[in-house]
Amino acid sequence: MMNEIKRMNEEHLDEMFQLAAYAFNAETTDERKERFQKIVQHSWNYGYFSDNILASQVISTPFTVNFHKVNYQMAGIGCVSSYPEYRGQGGVSAIMKQLLTDLAENKIELAYLAPFSYPFYRKYGFEQLFEQITYTIKAADWPNIKATPGQMKRVPFEVAQNTIQEIYQKTERNQRGALTRENWWLEYTFGLDQTNQFAIYINEQGEIEGYLIYQSSAARFTIKEWGYLTNQAFKSILRFVGSHNGSSQEFHFETGFDGQTLSYLLPAPLVKMEISPYMMGRIVDLESFLEKYPFATGANESYYLEIEDRYASWNNGLWKLSINNQGKGTLLKIDSLPQDVLNENTISGDIQTFTQAFMGYRSLAELRFYEKISANETLIKALDERLVKGVPVLADYF
């Protein structure tokens, strides 16, 4: 039996689509195939072939993310699938190893994915990085907002598109590891779904300051996404949503969790709220990631990091991290500690733990308390002060 990994293009579209449909129990409609083709066109597509039959596949879509005003290259990994008769034969593992190698060679710093199993992807160095919060609110409990200056206007996607882009990028919560969306991705995510509706808020001066993407039915009004630059825009969007309380029984909103809830703004705060794990992520190219990292300003300092990364050998080993007073980091791989540095002056952990710490998902102090990382308390406190603050937030799915 001959097994090989191939990079696939649109010539393999039918095979890829059939595998994805089978693996995820999806209908093979023309509409689904059109959506699938769009993602294939913009992605690196890997196939594991057994005797020239596509057995397993992984799609990696190149994105840019905004991380505290630093642009990182990120691979959005999806469509991880195999036919049942080929599962357990190492196809996905072989693809993941090749994919991570290719990403590192291209200096792509990060990778995100939506896991069907968290333990499965931990084998490849991924760890939980994002959470989501879901609100379900009875129509009668929605806040009653007084009319505000300006107006809400329902518009088609083509009119709303530029507004969504501009406001989304200006919003602070979307600068903590969220996508810098390209137009094709925005169309793929929102524009191709005919059930999505769009509204924008225009202030008294004729300036657009907010947007709403939603779906509406008798049972439920679903907020797919909203964005606003001012309190007036926020209140106008709330009022517009609330005006549907006669036609929908409840309001539903699912969004990236930034550590805060909105329930305190409601007249009846005892609403149904659920925080759940969302996407996983990993640092792919540690050197490139830390040399671009927005460390806080402070003293000129050096730290020794001992990192375990079983699936990315280029990250594995001992590193010297130097941070200057302007917050610029330099990373140097070393064979051993200098003679004047003791072993207890290293910070040791696996790539998952360091990913969570550097991305702001968990503090080093917390990770040390739960024995996810090993280091003395003084070192941990000092490095923690140089890392970004604020949990990462992701609004997209792939």
Side-chain angles (χ1 to χ4, degrees):
M1 182 181 292
M2 190 181 78
N3 299 323
E4 62 176 331
I5 297 171
K6 296 180 185 177
R7 286 280 293 271
M8 301 182 292
N9 52 35
E10 285 189 78
E11 292 178 7
H12 299 89
L13 181 66
D14 289 340
E15 293 171 272
M16 295 175 66
F17 181 64
Q18 290 300 324
L19 172 52
Y22 189 96
F24 300 113
N25 293 313
E27 295 180 29
T28 55
T29 62
D30 290 341
E31 182 182 358
R32 283 183 178 275
K33 191 170 185 178
E34 180 187 351
R35 282 182 60 84
F36 188 75
Q37 182 176 14
K38 197 172 190 68
I39 200 78
V40 166
Q41 287 172 338
H42 289 88
S43 301
W44 299 4
N45 311 295
Y46 290 79
Y48 181 81
F49 287 79
S50 180
D51 289 338
N52 293 317
I53 296 172
L54 179 61
S56 304
Q57 65 184 356
V58 175
I59 290 177
S60 172
T61 309
F63 292 105
T64 301
V65 297
N66 182 336
F67 184 71
H68 299 265
K69 297 185 169 58
V70 172
N71 288 328
Y72 281 126
Q73 301 306 304
M74 183 273 289
I77 297 174
C79 199
V80 180
S81 47
S82 300
Y83 282 114
E85 62 267 33
Y86 294 105
R87 288 174 188 158
Q89 296 184 18
V92 169
S93 291
I95 292 175
M96 291 295 287
K97 189 171 184 178
Q98 182 64 53
L99 171 57
L100 288 173
T101 300
D102 291 349
L103 295 178
E105 287 178 354
N106 285 274
K107 297 297 180 185
I108 294 172
E109 292 94 359
L110 292 166
Y112 298 167
L113 56 78
F116 70 88
S117 164
Y118 287 85
F120 178 82
Y121 286 110
R122 285 192 179 111
K123 294 186 302 183
Y124 308 118
F126 288 85
E127 189 48 88
Q128 182 180 335
L129 209 53
F130 301 97
E131 294 174 349
Q132 276 204 320
I133 185 166
T134 303
Y135 302 88
T136 304
I137 304 168
K138 294 178 182 177
D141 292 334
W142 193 260
N144 184 20
I145 305 295
K146 295 180 181 179
T148 57
Q151 62 167 327
M152 290 291 296
K153 183 177 181 181
R154 289 182 297 109
V155 296
F157 170 74
E158 292 72 23
V159 174
Q161 185 171 6
N162 288 339
T163 293
I164 295 169
Q165 285 282 50
E166 291 174 12
I167 294 176
Y168 167 89
Q169 291 176 15
K170 289 178 181 177
T171 305
E172 188 275 336
R173 59 181 268 122
N174 296 324
Q175 298 172 18
R176 299 192 207 167
L179 302 194
T180 300
R181 292 168 171 167
E182 295 182 33
N183 286 333
W184 78 266
W185 176 253
L186 195 69
E187 181 183 1
Y188 174 83
T189 304
F190 297 117
L192 294 180
D193 189 339
Q194 299 301 311
T195 60
N196 285 336
Q197 299 187 65
F198 305 87
I200 57 176
Y201 168 72
I202 307 170
N203 69 15
E204 290 176 289
Q205 288 74 41
E207 300 163 332
I208 302 173
E209 293 183 335
Y211 69 87
L212 172 69
I213 306 170
Y214 65 99
Q215 296 175 357
S216 181
S217 70
R220 171 178 281 185
F221 184 101
T222 300
I223 300 167
K224 302 293 289 185
E225 185 171 290
W226 64 18
Y228 41 84
L229 299 178
T230 63
N231 175 261
Q232 196 163 283
F234 175 62
K235 290 193 293 186
S236 294
I237 292 170
L238 284 182
R239 179 177 170 83
F240 178 82
V241 173
S243 69
H244 293 79
N245 62 7
S247 54
S248 296
Q249 296 177 15
E250 66 181 20
F251 299 104
H252 184 80
F253 183 31
E254 190 172 282
T255 186
F257 182 57
D258 61 4
Q260 298 179 330
T261 74
L262 297 174
S263 63
Y264 74 98
L265 296 174
L266 300 170
L270 288 174
V271 300
K272 183 180 178 183
M273 289 187 296
E274 182 179 0
I275 298 171
S276 54
Y278 190 44
M279 305 278 268
M280 301 178 83
R282 68 161 288 154
I283 297 170
V284 176
D285 187 318
L286 182 72
E287 185 175 5
S288 180
F289 178 83
L290 288 183
E291 293 195 346
K292 291 168 64 174
Y293 191 86
F295 290 103
T297 56
N300 291 316
E301 297 176 330
S302 293
Y303 299 89
Y304 293 91
L305 312 178
E306 189 173 16
I307 294 177
E308 179 187 356
D309 193 341
R310 296 178 182 177
Y311 238 76
S313 59
W314 51 90
N315 294 330
N316 202 60
L318 193 59
W319 298 85
K320 181 182 180 181
L321 170 63
S322 301
I323 309 171
N324 70 16
N325 58 3
Q326 297 299 310
K328 174 72 171 67
T330 306
L331 198 64
L332 177 66
K333 199 162 196 177
I334 57 177
D335 294 326
S336 60
L337 291 173
Q339 289 185 348
D340 59 340
V341 177
L342 302 174
N343 285 333
E344 52 263 36
N345 287 333
T346 62
I347 303 174
S348 303
D350 58 27
I351 194 65
Q352 291 100 318
T353 304
F354 280 104
T355 297
Q356 289 186 325
F358 287 125
M359 292 291 288
Y361 181 70
R362 290 289 183 262
S363 70
L364 285 168
E366 183 180 5
L367 291 166
R368 177 179 179 271
F369 178 85
Y370 290 110
E371 299 180 336
K372 298 289 187 181
I373 206 163
S374 174
N376 71 56
E377 190 174 354
T378 303
L379 272 180
I380 288 290
K381 184 177 180 182
L383 184 53
D384 250 339
E385 291 178 354
R386 306 299 294 268
L387 302 188
V388 299
K389 300 298 180 284
V391 297
V393 179
L394 184 65
D396 294 86
Y397 180 90
F398 32 83

